[in-house]
Amino acid sequence: MGQPTDHSPRVAWMAGQLARESGADGATCTRAMAVALLRWSGCTANAPEFAQLFGDDVGGRKALLATQSPTGGFRAVTRKKGSAFHSLSRIHCEVSGDIAVQLGLDDSTQFALRHLFESHDGSGAPDGLRAEEVPAAVYMASLAGDLDIFQRLYGIEQACQLIDARAGVLYPRDLASAVVANARPWLAVLDEDPTLSGPCSLDAAFAGSTTSLEILAHVIDLKLPWMTGHSRQVAQLARNAALQLGLDEAGQRRIHRAALIHGMGRASVPNMIWDTPGRLAQSAWERVRLVPYWTGRAARQIGSLAGEAEVASHAYERLDGSGYFRELKQGGLSLEGRILASSVALAALRAPRPWRDAHSEDAAAELLLAEVKAGRHDANVVHALLNQAPRPVASPTTPSAGLLTGREREILRWISLGASNKKVAQKLSISPSTVRTHVESVFRKLECSTRAAATLKATQLGLL
């Protein structure tokens, strides 16, 4: 979204304050914080579509959030149901709602996250809800978010003016007035004690809720369709190698969890850069080099992931110092870091990319061994990786295995990688209309309406 890493926690804290100021009960306060924390969780899901529209999906979102129009950046362009922005909003909201389901959040929170871009005057998306039809938590998260962004860009006085101008259009006037009245003291408290926007908000919003890091891995990989399943594949390779190399259970678990989150920082780089074939321009390369830095910065905000965050930030280091972002050499890279770096490289070689086909097992092994010979990867780690018997990521005995037919799973796999109906039809030698019929059946069975949501749900069910 082009925002600082503390944006959502700060917004969550202020949304909670607004809920209390408005006389809401404890459940509503907690819901407002949860919605604020998760309202951008669907941003990876529509990144490919945003990239087609703007070129720079990260910069495009940042510009929309900074728009000073009284009708708002996102909502102002969702008025027509057939518009591109309406489609983008629908993808985002559906995935955010599905994430809430996986987190075990209540129905009201799920509903709010499925209607993040609704407006008080009914001009929003995805369903054009208006006034009291829109959950209060959506208004509170939106107001707190606008305040945080506008005061940072334009100062508190102008931020309050912009919020007042949007009252009655994007959000209720009484809530907007409460934000304007309390903006200065709230921001002052946050500036004096930034920790208020961290553990306190997270603990309150997700108390008693636990989930697997696989969900986070799936959400990370949604940003680039051709990376579907990548983080989970890296995690499997890394854990198996750690076992072969004699790491204890704690070490195996740490490397597995670090592998699942190692791509978090990719969200900071536009898809147009990731999709570029060949050599990157220096300015683009500098952004890519900072991906592991942002992974570490983001993951460390979750205290229980501090150790994993450190390992994850070594995903692209090389033993000869040619890696990034630290440019560590052999003595500075731990065994866990070496395992992760080699696992990432092997998984990438075995998978297709927009500019090349997947390498065969033998070809991938040959390329990785050449890197060992050049001094960039640890020989023992690479041999442990290559000695693993190839195995599917998901077990065929998963309870959901019979949910889709073989042909539906095949088509779902192609569309999850970003292929159009026409492209799938060509690959499978069937008609586009047949593909469309199968896609509609997949959506119906998975209870979703967008490809991103189908991909997320299918990966969680072990169908991809």
Side-chain angles (χ1 to χ4, degrees):
M1 303 304 301
Q3 301 305 310
T5 56
D6 65 347
H7 169 64
S8 290
R10 283 172 59 91
V11 171
W13 184 85
M14 288 192 288
Q17 297 303 306
L18 176 56
R20 281 185 279 275
E21 181 70 20
S22 66
D25 58 22
T28 301
C29 292
T30 299
R31 187 174 302 118
M33 292 162 61
V35 170
L37 284 167
L38 290 173
R39 69 182 185 139
W40 300 129
S41 60
C43 70
T44 57
N46 62 15
E49 290 80 7
F50 243 104
Q52 289 179 0
L53 199 61
F54 285 102
D56 182 344
D57 54 296
V58 178
R61 298 174 200 270
K62 183 178 181 179
L64 283 172
L65 288 174
T67 299
Q68 300 186 50
S69 164
T71 54
F74 278 83
R75 293 168 178 78
V77 287
T78 59
R79 292 176 183 273
K80 295 183 179 179
K81 291 229 170 190
S83 71
F85 278 87
H86 187 274
S87 176
L88 292 171
S89 299
R90 186 164 58 88
I91 296 169
H92 184 122
C93 290
E94 184 167 22
V95 168
S96 292
D98 286 349
I99 291 170
V101 172
Q102 294 299 316
L103 289 171
L105 300 181
D106 61 61
D107 291 346
S108 295
T109 304
Q110 294 173 31
F111 182 82
L113 287 164
R114 294 189 190 279
H115 295 87
L116 289 166
F117 302 107
E118 306 288 1
S119 296
H120 189 257
D121 67 355
S123 64
D127 294 329
L129 303 184
R130 63 186 306 121
E132 294 182 359
E133 295 174 334
V134 181
V138 170
Y139 291 138
M140 293 168 182
S142 177
L143 274 159
D146 284 353
L147 175 59
D148 189 60
I149 292 170
F150 290 155
Q151 66 85 24
R152 179 166 24 88
L153 295 177
Y154 312 121
I156 294 179
E157 184 174 347
Q158 190 170 350
C160 291
Q161 291 174 359
L162 288 168
I163 288 172
D164 185 65
R166 293 181 172 191
V169 178
L170 298 190
Y171 22 69
R173 188 164 295 281
D174 59 337
L175 288 179
S177 298
V179 168
V180 170
N182 290 279
R184 285 177 173 78
W186 287 349
L187 291 167
V189 169
L190 277 175
D191 289 341
E192 292 171 8
D193 186 4
T195 62
L196 287 173
S197 67
C200 292
S201 294
L202 290 166
D203 289 347
F206 300 110
S209 178
T210 59
T211 188
S212 169
L213 279 184
E214 273 82 359
I215 296 172
L216 181 54
H218 299 154
V219 173
I220 289 169
D221 292 347
L222 281 177
K223 179 169 167 65
L224 296 162
W226 43 268
M227 276 208 165
T228 297
H230 173 75
S231 296
R232 190 175 50 176
Q233 291 164 9
V234 171
Q236 179 178 291
L237 286 169
R239 182 153 197 163
N240 290 344
L243 176 63
Q244 289 191 43
L245 292 167
L247 271 69
D248 59 19
E249 178 58 33
Q252 294 173 37
R253 183 172 182 269
R254 184 164 50 250
I255 188 67
H256 182 261
R257 288 160 61 86
L260 289 171
I261 65 172
H262 83 275
M264 193 184 297
R266 284 199 299 268
S268 67
V269 178
N271 278 24
M272 61 186 291
I273 292 178
W274 294 119
D275 291 336
T276 300
R279 190 178 184 86
L280 292 175
Q282 187 62 30
S283 58
W285 176 236
E286 284 303 313
R287 296 190 71 168
V288 171
R289 283 176 52 83
L290 288 175
V291 165
Y293 166 78
W294 288 117
T295 291
R297 286 278 290 125
R300 273 192 290 271
Q301 291 194 56
I302 306 172
S304 60
L305 288 180
E308 288 83 351
E310 182 67 16
V311 176
S313 69
H314 293 152
Y316 301 99
E317 300 289 352
R318 297 294 183 261
L319 296 181
D320 64 350
S322 64
Y324 55 93
F325 68 100
R326 296 183 181 88
E327 300 181 349
L328 296 174
K329 292 192 175 181
Q330 185 163 351
L333 192 57
S334 68
L335 177 57
E336 291 174 346
R338 298 180 192 189
I339 292 172
L340 178 57
S342 297
S343 299
V344 170
L346 180 58
L349 289 169
R350 289 176 174 176
R353 294 294 182 255
W355 53 88
R356 64 161 173 81
D357 293 330
H359 293 287
S360 66
E361 294 286 329
D362 289 344
E366 186 177 336
L367 288 168
L368 198 57
L369 288 170
E371 292 286 287
V372 170
K373 188 174 181 179
R376 288 186 278 272
H377 286 285
D378 185 306
N380 291 332
V381 169
V382 170
H383 285 298
L385 285 168
L386 298 179
N387 288 336
Q388 296 179 31
R391 66 183 68 180
V393 173
S395 167
T397 59
T398 175
S400 302
L403 182 60
L404 303 179
T405 66
R407 177 63 94 183
E408 287 171 344
R409 290 183 66 169
E410 187 177 23
I411 290 173
L412 176 59
R413 179 62 186 170
W414 279 110
I415 67 170
S416 75
L417 295 172
S420 65
N421 285 1
K422 184 177 179 180
K423 185 70 172 179
V424 176
Q426 293 172 347
K427 290 284 186 181
L428 302 180
S429 299
I430 57 180
S431 70
S433 62
T434 299
V435 173
R436 184 171 59 253
T437 297
H438 283 302
V439 170
E440 290 171 354
S441 177
V442 168
F443 284 179
R444 184 172 60 255
K445 291 179 179 180
L446 294 180
E447 298 180 342
C448 58
S449 63
T450 63
R451 294 181 176 217
T455 299
L456 180 62
K457 190 165 289 187
T459 51
Q460 292 166 352
L461 293 174
L463 297 173
L464 289 175

